[in-house]
């Protein structure tokens, strides 16, 4: 099985974190490819940045999906995920969706620990769009500007643990979601140090993508995830045009 | 006052409908400019198409906003609206947001009459993202494929009226929203024929944009609509880069 | 265009604040009339007081609406608004409804800054009745008894600013609603001092009322805002009786 | 124990139905007094009519409560109930609130069977204000104009039964609420004819009022149901003024 | 009238508290029987303990209901209540359901004061299952391990009062629910000491059970509370088998 | 890896369906054991039957979990799942929870196709308890009594397909959940025949259980899924007592 993970940000250092955790998480026989967006920002914290990331992800997915069994949008917030689900012929998931699925299998209410204050609004809206408000205990984020997006775990590890403790004791979290590709692998390295189960997006997305491939649930021919009706278009890359030409 | 309306689709015929209704709706002294997206599809019905439209809208808004007092995203579903609200220094609204604001000032529950079946899921998610589920009575759409997106009103006018009647009598709507830029101006031409108040997006957006300019509510310096934190970027147009360089 | 603003409270000093801000906010050519309730209390903080205010407002609206193009219920909480919307032949809005419409056009989540602690429950229920719970970040109110309802802005201005700051930084507000007719005009005088956009009810209601008149959306002939079915009545003023005699 | 039931409508024939069912429902030793509103309409179907009814009810409650142990607002929709709860020193309930409390003790989801189509919007908003949307299966109403408000049960009995059957079989109701004072006693006379438990407002209100008197839960000295803060007032009846003068 | 109260826990000391408050609360002529579960734990704080308690309650109810007019599940959280409502031929209620019904008749929002921190998640889920999230102001619990479950009121009375005060002043509660059978009677003994109305489960359940018997609302023959369809079973007690053999 | 699936019903024929689909779904190296409840009913459709099934499942889980890496509650509705999650030291999931997790990874809204009308209320409450109401498009069930619970798929296959089609076309489902252990394997055998992705509970539960074991998220030491506080108990089996004696 071949999985394509697309980092919607331009940071190669974060792509390396994603790749390392994906490889550690994958089942035997699963191959991992990670691509980095050629356009966008260093890391996504806002709606505008996510909108750019969604577009960049779509370009890469259109060009590269054919050689893979499933695609993962490898940023928390899942920029463009539901859009891609309409047009890709293979399963597609994202770090948030996958992490929340894991969290919901482990407890009733989860908290999200994030890398900044600003990012919280975007995450809250993502959780709401998934209809999971009633299972969200809280979102807590680091207070300080990030010096090095590829080394948040090293610089801020203890602060992240402290935030997780507060989520459990003050907010009633049953599960902690360590959010954001820059935290990929942190759940693994903190194993045993947190008072409740902890999940991260990359390992969840890899495993759930494998499951979706294995279950072979079929593709939408009708409903809101069938391919869009065909109509004139302009200014799109050949790969995107090809996605839009698919017969249902 | 100068308003910039951006059609996120590539259809010039729809841009003309938008322009005509915008001019009819504007207050004395308001100038209207309408731009058509250079990339995208003929009309947006799905999440993927909306994602493309959001990106195209952002490019045009970045390049052209400076000469205007406010910007309107002129497609129902408001592709990219909240993203643009973070980075543009002027007020920005969209057809759905504006039409729903009007509807909420006229009754308790509204129905949306739309140009296709497929488009309903995207509209439903847009309404949900605005937190207005409890005020949505129903979404009804035309059944047949659209032969000519610039002439839906002419071809399908009676069917649209019949859908609106059912929204009132079967779904409990107090107000009808005639949705989608291809229906721009229909509320005006149906005046007196529907059993409840009817609103459309273009006239609502023009008037509410004027109001936002007049009220001078100030711009976000903090919170989730302040400009995104500055960080490295790549592959973006000079105009988009300039938006991201703004000091807060 | 002629707008009738009805202060549901007996305080002439508050009516003056309303009139001054309404005049400052109105478009050229709009005439403003403000009436003060002949019965009721000095300012509304509770459900019982609002119920009295609704009745008083209805009497004045019944007697005076005919000479105006639209009516504004000029107390936060909008006492009697939806009731009047059933029987008045012209558009009608209220300070809360209008302020929240403005707020929703400026950001995702708003906080309300209010003149007392007690008033918060009534405001919360008003927001809920409008279905906007998911967009409400918080309601904060002044702690101390009000010495002079006509001079809250002067006496408590700095405290109100401090409450607004906490709404942004602690509660995640994107927009501040300065609530209550006694704060009419405060958003204008604080321009530039708050970290997010601020709106007030009077200017929002004046502008949105103008918009509703301009859009000519039509009046309900069916549905829950059509005139009530005719039936025997007793003990009502001639003006109210006349409202109930209208043919649909 | 002495209970005061106030009919917010002017129909003496409905007051008689209320009185008869109240007397049949009361515990031994409970005395029933029913008053009819001197101002208002024949029966309440709309928000405007409810607003008038609330005011009329408040006048009667202010004048007559002192001789009773509890007060019942005897119209479905509970006009003015929460307002009165702030100012009356004794327990107060209403037909809707009480019927829904009974229904919630008998099953998970209830439907409301009502006397007209128009009345449904007002009932739906009442249920929402009580936070019980998720327990509401449906509201169904009679289709035809009411010839004689005091004889709905006789004229329309079979149609009401048929509506109740549809609520169970099509809408998933576990309990039927027969709504509106004109249906007082119908649940009793239909005993054994409906496929699920049925409740009405008058008997529920009488019994629950007795319970509230018996439990002696205490009166609010703080919070949103404490008496309103004292402040200037004008134009109010001596009885209402006396309610507003109470020390907390 | 004869009421059967079943304590789903094994603590005879708590059964005594239940019995005492039930007897104090019952109407003249009502006889009270209290049974203690023969299997289970000392007091229920968690979902697993509640699941055991539900099973034990069902055994006792199956064996003993026939001699009574109504059954009360006498633990907060109402273990097994909706299950028993399907199979028992008489009315059945529980401490939480009944206390919340009382609270909803006394104010808009209630807080729950509980005997431990751990128990709060279970109570929150119970409130949610009843659809009453929007009326829940907060749940606060004692911090310390319980030394003697039969004497919580004596040991922790002042702390419980302090928690209730915080619910009113910090959380906006209009009513306090003193939760858990170990607090049976505390509302009565605190009468006059709390700033808002206070209710407990035992007295509420006794009174509401009496009301359900008096109203004779009928039993479900269809819908989700009709007796379960007959089908093979195994390993059940004769009394439970008899419940499942009932004709609808 | 060894997985224990517990059928909370007494039907060996259904256990065989579960086992067959579990074996087909499991990854290489995963061993499957299926146990059948020694007490309970033939299949669960109601809350009472689910309550019995939860108790039976807990007994089997207590006795047999130690030899396995994860436990699956193998009935739709997940009787006792959250209870077991508190006390078992290994991951535990259930058919509904797992199927809904799969469905949420494949589309925005899902419908549930079920084996009877009666079962729908229990499923609806299960979905609500998981906070997924906003993602539920509908629940549809077979109309006729089940002749042979072990052969529903054979007897009713075409009817189930027709129900699924209506869920897509009338209710807006993006994904179909084929619900109930008696339908185990049907999604697989219908592959390619449904217009949207289809999932079933057994294969989803097996795969997600494998994922939870692989992710090693850690066990709750605090929060609402930590082992219950230790306290006296009585009448419990040695295996259940052992679960309650665990140190946190």
């Amino acid at each position: 099985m071949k999985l394509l993970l697309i980092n919607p940000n331009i940071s190669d250092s974060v792509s390396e974190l994603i790749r390392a955790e994906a490889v550690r998480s994958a089942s035997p026989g699963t191959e991992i490819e990670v691509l980095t967006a050629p356009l966008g920002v260093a890391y996504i914290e806002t709606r505008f940045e996510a909108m750019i990331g969604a577009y960049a992800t779509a370009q890469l997915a259109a060009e590269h999906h054919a050689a893979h069994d499933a695609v993962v949008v490898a940023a928390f917030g899942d920029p463009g995920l539901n859009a891609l689900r309409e047009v890709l012929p293979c399963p597609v998931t994202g770090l948030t969706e996958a992490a929340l699925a894991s969290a919901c299998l482990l407890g009733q209410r989860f908290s999200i620990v994030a890398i900044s204050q600003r990012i919280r609004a975007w995450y809250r809206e993502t959780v709401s769009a998934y209809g999971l408000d009633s299972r969200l205990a809280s979102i807590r984020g680091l207070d300080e500007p990030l010096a090095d997006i590829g080394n948040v775990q090293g610089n801020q590890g203890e602060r992240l643990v402290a935030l997780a403790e507060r989520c459990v004791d003050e907010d009633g979290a049953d599960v902690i979601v360590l959010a954001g590709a820059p935290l990929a692998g942190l759940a693994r390295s903190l194993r045993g140090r947190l008072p409740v189960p902890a999940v991260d997006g990359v390992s969840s997305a890899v495993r759930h993508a494998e499951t979706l491939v294995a279950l072979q649930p079929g593709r939408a021919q009708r409903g809101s995830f069938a391919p869009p009706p065909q109509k004139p278009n302009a200014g799109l890359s050949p790969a995107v045009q090809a996605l839009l030409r698919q017969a249902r």
Side-chain angles (χ1 to χ4, degrees), chain A:
Chain A
M1 191 182 303
K2 298 176 71 173
L3 301 185
L4 173 62
L5 287 76
I6 301 174
N7 177 7
N9 300 307
I10 60 170
S11 298
D12 288 320
S13 62
V14 173
S15 296
E16 276 314 300
L17 290 170
I18 293 168
R19 187 192 321 274
E21 179 60 14
V23 168
R24 282 190 297 259
S25 307
S27 295
T30 297
E31 295 175 41
I32 300 292
E33 181 171 10
V34 180
L35 297 176
T36 306
L39 70 92
V41 297
Y43 54 97
I44 298 176
E45 292 176 292
T46 78
R47 303 166 188 96
F48 187 83
E49 295 164 345
M51 184 269 292
I52 299 289
Y55 185 78
T57 301
Q59 305 307 312
L60 290 176
E63 290 166 26
H64 297 277
H65 73 90
H68 298 83
D69 295 292
V71 171
V72 172
V73 180
F76 225 78
D78 300 348
L81 170 57
N82 271 333
L84 284 171
R85 192 167 275 148
E86 294 175 353
V87 296
L88 292 184
C90 61
V92 52
T93 187
L95 298 203
T96 299
E97 177 184 82
L100 301 194
S102 296
C104 288
L105 294 164
L106 290 163
Q108 185 65 21
R109 300 212 307 163
F110 55 82
S111 283
I112 297 175
V113 171
I115 59 173
S116 77
Q117 293 290 308
R118 177 63 186 265
I119 214 167
R120 294 177 305 154
W122 180 42
Y123 284 179
R124 189 178 54 233
E125 293 175 11
T126 302
V127 171
S128 287
Y130 292 152
L132 292 172
D133 289 320
S134 68
R135 299 188 74 162
L136 179 66
S138 61
I139 304 176
R140 290 181 179 266
L142 292 172
D143 274 324
E144 300 182 16
L146 299 175
D148 176 1
I149 191 62
N151 195 17
V152 183
Q153 300 179 39
N155 294 340
Q156 305 275 352
E158 290 311 304
R159 285 182 182 154
L160 291 162
V161 170
L163 288 177
E165 298 261 352
R166 294 185 62 186
C167 292
V168 173
D169 294 334
E170 299 177 27
D171 308 332
D174 298 319
V175 182
I176 296 296
V177 176
L178 294 162
L183 301 187
L186 182 62
R188 185 181 300 271
S189 61
L190 290 180
R191 204 166 272 164
R193 289 206 42 210
L194 295 179
V196 297
V199 298
D200 87 329
V202 172
S203 56
S204 292
V206 165
R207 282 281 170 173
H208 292 321
E210 291 176 348
T211 290
L212 295 178
V213 173
L215 291 178
Q216 295 181 251
R219 190 186 176 191
Q221 304 300 322
R222 296 211 295 270
S224 82
F225 287 95
Q230 299 204 18
K231 63 191 66 158
N233 64 56
L236 305 177
S237 73
V240 168
Q241 285 187 64
L243 284 180
L244 292 176
R245 260 200 312 276
Q246 300 172 78
R248 283 202 243 189

